[in-house]
Amino acid sequence: MMINVSRRSLLATGMFGAGALALPGLAPAQTVLTARGFTHSVASGEPGPDEMLLWTRYVPASGDSARLKLELSETPDFARVAAGGETITGPWRDWTAKVTVTGLKPARDYHFRFVAADGTMSPVGRTRTLPDDRASRFRAAIFSCSNIGFGFFNAYAHAAARDDLDLWIHLGDYFYEYANGTYPSLQEVVASRLPQPRTEIIHLADYRLRYASYRADPDLQALHARLPMIASMDDHESANNSWEGGAQNHDPASEGEWIARRAAAIQAWREWMPVSDEPWKAYDIGRLATLFRTDTRLAGRSQSPELADMLRGPDPMRALAAYRDGAWHDPARTMLGSQQEAWLQHGLARSVTSGARWQIVGFGTIMGTMRVPPEVEGWIAQARPGAAGYIQAAVAVGKAGLPSDLDNWGGYPAARARFLDAAQAADANLVVLCGDSHNAWAFDLAQKGKPVGVEFAGQSVTSSGFESALTVDPATVARALVAASPELKWCDTSRRGYMALTITPDRVSNDWLFVDTVKTPNPAARVGHSATVERGRRQMA
């Protein structure tokens, strides 16, 4: 559980200390408030074949700045230090520390720790560099949508206990910005897992405190200390349905200018996450693949339409049809921005030319086209309380011939076409990875009548899916969605967990692992579905 203490007190006393929130039910609040030291374990990220970024957080007894020394070793006893570095941290960066080291060996495990000036040491973490051209296999775990109030991070715990993973990827919604009781409701909150601050996060201090609260979770700490991470934002790291100029969940009149909130979200992200300051980046996994990390929210995304505005008018179907025939196709509307589009286009071509066998692109939101089936209208009577309005909106969108979600790539068809055209022009062996929807999906992506690649979209760590709105049998829901959506080959709309992607020279396979529960601490999980794509086929086998 999370210890609920006042935000003002936490900020005044330098937050948490000595992992004080890392164990459920630990110590009275005052003990937490006066603690110092290494507060949130360690983490690693931004891997390369010869480099790694290492992270920790350290609050000295003085509450002032602190010098930290980093040590890496190939053995857990640190008998020989293979690499290291030093850094200074302080309140200007919320006492977080990041050091990037080079000169490492490819495909090699390293143990690492930070040492403070008084000799105290952080917990020991383990990380792994990316392979060189000799690699014949690589495996990554893929996560998204981890709302702490909905339950325990059992998916993280399961992945942290595995010994066959090289990397973990988080595709966004690492936390949620809402006030406690908003999503989930207070009645839905599991085991008093209420993050701080209790209010919606808007300012820099709020974002920092929300990270501190989430990062106190022991399962999340364990995964960070076990594997290197590649992370990208979706919307909830800033505000729901964010874009470059605002967000659905941002009111300038009461919450100030979006540019200030956006800057606060980005600063806290760069402080608290084991990430570089680059908004997008490519990672070479030997000659097996190039993995592209993108930003589909804050860098250049155009505003998505507000369905509510169209549906509340005197003639909703006419308004939807006008949008479908007009603004929906606007080539100026973009998910990535023209600079990132150009970077990704050139990156795909360079990856193919360099001999990489696969081009793997991570996006925050789903690319595959999904249509609302006619059966949905009959499901309204079986909707859970409060969900009927959402289902009615989905029915109207489907009748208008629009995709089911206009906040994902379905709302940006010209931008989607440009990306898929670039993949085809490069002759890429494309695998798209996505999160956001809370449910599990497998798509064959097509462009101009030809297969262009596959998409594996992952279920949430904890956030609720279709099952929270419908009492219809999930198998019935899945069959209807697949039948109505030609690109969709399989889906699961009711279970939580993560994906595990395996890359070999001639095949990429993906497992969807589902945890038994998120209501209690239980790391048990099992593969619920697997899909494979053979190199050169560009569609699932």
Side-chain angles (χ1 to χ4, degrees):
M1 71 176 64
M2 305 304 294
I3 297 173
N4 289 308
V5 291
S6 83
R7 170 173 166 261
R8 183 184 302 274
S9 297
L10 285 169
L11 296 175
T13 57
M15 314 289 262
F16 317 120
L21 283 186
L23 297 175
L26 181 78
Q30 191 58 39
T31 302
V32 175
L33 297 177
T34 57
R36 292 290 190 270
F38 290 100
T39 66
H40 287 78
S41 191
V42 294
S44 65
E46 301 294 343
D50 65 347
E51 66 180 89
M52 188 69 66
L53 182 152
L54 294 314
W55 179 100
T56 195
R57 184 172 185 271
Y58 178 81
V59 183
S62 65
D64 199 355
S65 62
R67 179 182 294 271
L68 299 176
K69 180 181 178 182
L70 169 70
E71 297 177 342
L72 286 89
S73 175
E74 294 186 37
T75 59
D77 61 1
F78 289 84
R80 189 181 74 84
V81 174
E86 295 188 40
T87 188
I88 297 172
T89 187
W92 61 87
R93 56 174 305 113
D94 204 14
W95 292 279
T96 61
K98 295 192 289 190
V99 178
T100 297
V101 297
T102 59
L104 305 178
K105 300 174 183 177
R108 192 66 59 94
D109 288 339
Y110 286 92
H111 304 269
F112 67 97
R113 66 189 179 192
F114 289 84
V115 184
D118 63 2
T120 59
M121 296 182 181
S122 72
V124 174
R126 191 166 83 174
T127 190
R128 184 171 177 82
T129 51
L130 295 182
D132 58 18
D133 293 349
R134 293 169 291 181
S136 60
R137 187 176 182 274
F138 189 87
R139 175 168 279 187
I142 302 156
F143 302 85
S144 64
C145 305
S146 41
N147 187 317
I148 202 166
F150 275 112
F152 290 90
F153 292 158
N154 293 329
Y156 293 152
H158 186 271
R162 295 177 63 160
D163 60 5
D164 62 342
L165 296 172
D166 300 291
L167 175 73
W168 68 295
I169 299 168
H170 205 293
L171 294 171
D173 297 345
Y174 183 88
F175 68 30
Y176 285 70
E177 84 280 14
Y178 299 119
N180 287 344
T182 303
Y183 179 74
S185 68
L186 291 178
Q187 292 72 33
E188 295 173 299
V189 170
V190 173
S192 300
R193 286 169 65 85
L194 294 171
Q196 291 292 329
R198 299 180 182 184
T199 57
E200 182 178 338
I201 56 175
I202 299 170
H203 307 293
L204 178 59
D206 302 331
Y207 282 96
R208 285 171 165 174
L209 185 51
R210 188 60 57 91
Y211 277 109
S213 195
Y214 268 68
R215 289 290 294 276
D217 181 87
D219 296 322
L220 180 52
Q221 285 193 4
L223 187 54
H224 269 300
R226 176 65 181 81
L227 288 168
M229 178 193 211
I230 292 175
S232 55
M233 282 186 171
D234 193 29
D235 52 343
H236 291 291
E237 289 89 352
S238 55
N240 184 56
N241 285 10
S242 54
W243 56 289
E244 66 171 336
Q248 177 272 332
N249 189 30
H250 180 76
D251 178 13
S254 61
E255 297 174 333
E257 292 188 8
W258 168 249
I259 192 170
R261 185 173 184 179
R262 179 180 180 272
I266 292 173
Q267 179 173 336
W269 164 266
R270 289 176 176 172
E271 290 171 348
W272 274 88
M273 298 292 285
V275 298
S276 70
D277 291 349
E278 300 156 287
W280 51 80
K281 189 174 180 178
Y283 308 81
D284 291 324
I285 305 173
R287 287 187 177 272
L288 283 177
T290 305
L291 173 63
F292 296 90
R293 169 172 62 80
T294 66
D295 181 335
T296 54
R297 281 293 173 187
L298 300 182
R301 177 193 274 249
S302 305
Q303 184 176 16
S304 60
E306 287 291 347
L307 274 177
D309 294 339
M310 290 186 266
L311 295 175
R312 71 166 59 100
D315 191 343
M317 295 310 297
R318 184 175 181 178
L320 288 171
Y323 174 74
R324 177 199 64 210
D325 298 334
W328 185 43
H329 299 281
D330 186 352
R333 298 182 66 251
T334 175
M335 287 281 276
L336 301 170
S338 59
Q339 181 183 359
Q340 190 178 185
E341 280 191 14
W343 166 81
L344 188 52
Q345 176 184 352
H346 292 314
L348 290 170
R350 279 195 295 269
S351 174
V352 173
T353 301
S354 72
R357 305 287 286 179
W358 299 93
Q359 288 68 47
I360 301 174
V361 185
F363 292 129
T365 57
I366 289 174
M367 174 163 283
T369 300
M370 191 163 22
R371 302 289 180 181
V372 176
E375 295 96 315
V376 166
E377 196 156 19
W379 298 345
I380 293 176
Q382 302 177 64
R384 298 189 188 277
Y390 293 102
I391 299 174
Q392 289 169 340
V395 170
V397 167
K399 287 182 176 179
L402 289 164
S404 60
D405 188 352
L406 298 179
D407 184 60
N408 67 20
W409 285 88
Y412 302 78
R416 173 189 143 122
R418 289 194 295 270
F419 168 72
L420 294 178
D421 282 342
Q424 284 184 326
D427 197 27
N429 281 277
L430 178 67
V431 176
V432 171
L433 305 175
C434 293
D436 180 65
S437 78
H438 305 179
N439 299 291
W441 317 90
F443 295 92
D444 281 338
L445 301 174
Q447 176 70 354
K448 297 177 180 176
K450 296 180 180 179
V452 64
V454 302
E455 177 180 5
F456 302 137
Q459 69 277 30
S460 67
V461 172
T462 57
S463 301
S464 59
F466 277 37
E467 80 286 352
S468 66
L470 295 170
T471 60
V472 180
D473 181 357
T476 300
V477 175
R479 284 194 298 270
L481 291 171
V482 170
S485 310
E487 288 189 333
L488 180 61
K489 302 306 174 184
W490 169 85
C491 67
D492 180 284
T493 64
S494 65
R495 293 180 287 178
R496 316 276 71 81
Y498 70 103
M499 300 191 298
L501 188 78
T502 303
I503 309 167
T504 64
D506 298 316
R507 173 182 297 183
V508 170
S509 60
N510 189 65
D511 295 332
W512 284 264
L513 291 103
F514 298 106
V515 296
D516 288 353
T517 182
V518 298
K519 303 301 183 185
T520 60
N522 178 2
R526 54 190 50 83
V527 176
H529 186 73
S530 298
T532 299
V533 57
E534 305 285 347
R535 189 172 186 275
R537 283 183 52 86
R538 299 180 176 86
Q539 56 187 3
M540 282 172 277

